[in-house]
Amino acid sequence: MASADVAVAGPGQAGPPPVGPPDADVGAAEGRGAEAGLLTRALRRPALGALLGAVAVFVVFAVTDSTPQHLWLTQTGFQAWAQQAAFFGIMAVPVGLLMIGGEFDLSTGGMTGFCAIIMALLVGNEHWNAWAAVAVTFAFGAAIGAVNGIVVTRSGLPSFIVTLATYFVFRGLSVGGVLKVNHGSTSIGLTGTDHPGLKSAKDVFGGSFAHSNGLPAGYQDAILWFVGVTVVAVWLLGRTRFGNWVFAVGGDADAARKVGVPVRRTKILLFMGTSTAAALVGVISFLQANTAVSEQGVGYEFYYIIAAVVGGCLLTGGHGSALGAALGACIIGMALQGVIYSGWDSSWDFTFLGAILFLAVAVNTLTHRRAMRARR
């Protein structure tokens, strides 16, 4: 009998080899492996769910838009929700980085309002040069972040508690302190006309760009700042050693410390990032409106966390995306404006956001688990 007629099972083989061209089976297996690998890589990208969610929300409001000129698909509609998204996104992106690092900052809402008040007091009441006031406001924000980070890392107290205490301190100062120094008023605006540096500062932080016949007022500078913050954060997470440190300390701080990661320094810098971003929002909001009020920013810290979670940042840390947090902010901006454009009762805003948050947490958790199983 010719040797070619004998089917011999090789080591570990359960039976005779399959009939047919062997290359076809190898190619099919490789194809299935490639597909599985592509799916696994997609699931590992936290921003994917946020991107799909943003597209879905945009389409929903495009379909339900009830404005006479269907403004949702025009420059006016884009400017409306992009402006909202910018204010949320400037904060949501660094908040997302902090969550990836395993910590929370609940002082951000109060900080944005208090930083706007600092700007208003220095420029409006004390008549400082606007650029000097901007520098002091940023320095103040960075200092508060450093204090929060040092207290959290040295005391071992939960960041939830530490930053909540910071929030209440600034909440009290925003009301009681402002009433005391502002002659019983909680609103601080510009007095007089002599404000050195104000015009140039407004051009950078509170101005607008891309004016056109369709949009005479143009787009607010806050949108450019939002894009800039997002680009820097994406670069930090994906292209630098610091980004590796962020994921490491959020995943397992003890293991990270054992391999030489500066856990304490990394977390302090992340807290400084959120507080400095709060200062930026405060500066922008004051220079846009020429006024600051004590209630400004209250409750917004939850919007920032929602945006980060919708963008794929897990509450347990060690997983997330700066781009995802930015897309989460866009979803919130579209939701808040889309409800108005669709003619719905704005009282349903919170219900809509709650549903989005629940779905995002469920989807992100399931996809993360599946990706981890596929990796094994």
Side-chain angles (χ1 to χ4, degrees):
M1 182 179 295
S3 60
D5 297 330
V6 179
V8 179
Q13 213 171 356
V19 178
D23 291 343
D25 296 287
V26 173
E30 290 178 349
R32 288 191 297 270
E35 291 175 3
L38 182 62
L39 177 61
T40 300
R41 288 195 298 271
L43 291 175
R44 288 176 187 170
R45 295 187 178 276
L48 177 62
L51 176 60
L52 296 176
V55 172
V57 171
F58 182 86
V59 170
V60 166
F61 289 120
V63 172
T64 60
D65 179 14
S66 62
T67 56
Q69 294 83 23
H70 295 288
L71 296 176
W72 184 256
L73 297 177
T74 67
Q75 292 185 74
T76 301
F78 176 78
Q79 194 278 337
W81 68 258
Q83 171 74 1
Q84 286 269 17
F87 275 98
F88 292 129
I90 290 172
M91 284 304 311
V93 170
V95 165
L97 265 62
L98 182 63
M99 290 175 64
I100 295 171
E103 303 292 349
F104 291 92
D105 190 347
L106 293 181
S107 69
T108 50
M111 273 290 295
T112 58
F114 194 75
C115 287
I117 288 172
I118 291 176
M119 276 291 298
L121 286 173
L122 293 178
V123 177
N125 287 21
E126 302 300 321
H127 304 288
W128 279 33
N129 182 286
W131 284 106
V134 168
V136 169
T137 304
F138 277 120
F140 174 81
I144 295 302
V147 170
N148 281 338
I150 291 170
V151 172
V152 169
T153 55
R154 290 190 176 275
S155 69
L157 293 172
S159 56
F160 176 90
I161 298 299
V162 173
T163 57
L164 184 62
T166 305
Y167 164 79
F168 280 117
V169 168
F170 287 118
R171 183 77 184 88
L173 289 173
S174 295
V175 179
V178 170
L179 285 173
K180 188 173 181 63
V181 302
N182 199 42
H183 311 294
S185 173
T186 58
S187 177
I188 308 172
L190 296 178
T191 58
T193 57
D194 184 20
H195 302 289
L198 182 63
K199 184 181 183 301
S200 57
K202 286 178 71 69
D203 289 340
V204 174
F205 296 101
S208 58
F209 64 98
H211 301 265
S212 65
N213 293 332
L215 192 70
Y219 298 96
Q220 298 297 319
D221 286 347
I223 298 173
L224 295 179
W225 283 102
F226 172 36
V227 173
V229 168
T230 302
V231 170
V232 170
V234 169
W235 173 74
L236 281 175
L237 273 186
R239 300 292 181 179
T240 68
R241 180 182 298 178
F242 179 76
N244 293 332
W245 291 350
V246 173
F247 283 106
V249 301
D252 190 333
D254 291 334
R257 189 177 289 107
K258 290 176 182 177
V259 297
V261 174
V263 174
R264 181 176 297 170
R265 189 203 322 166
T266 301
K267 292 195 174 188
I268 291 173
L269 288 173
L270 289 173
F271 277 107
M272 292 177 67
T274 59
S275 292
T276 304
L280 174 58
V281 172
V283 168
I284 291 173
S285 60
F286 169 72
L287 290 175
Q288 278 189 353
N290 291 332
T291 187
V293 294
S294 294
E295 299 295 323
Q296 190 170 333
V298 174
Y300 278 17
E301 58 275 358
F302 296 109
Y303 288 98
Y304 309 146
I305 293 174
I306 289 172
V309 171
V310 168
C313 297
L314 296 183
L315 299 175
T316 52
H319 183 77
S321 163
L323 179 60
L327 290 169
C330 290
I331 290 175
I332 293 178
M334 285 190 285
L336 296 179
Q337 288 297 318
V339 167
I340 298 173
Y341 276 56
S342 297
W344 302 344
D345 186 348
S346 59
S347 302
W348 293 96
D349 285 349
F350 294 109
T351 302
F352 192 82
L353 290 176
I356 291 176
L357 176 62
F358 178 80
L359 290 173
V361 171
V363 171
N364 290 337
T365 302
L366 290 174
T367 55
H368 178 64
R369 288 176 180 173
R370 182 172 178 181
M372 292 302 100
R373 286 197 300 268
R375 178 180 293 178
R376 300 191 190 101

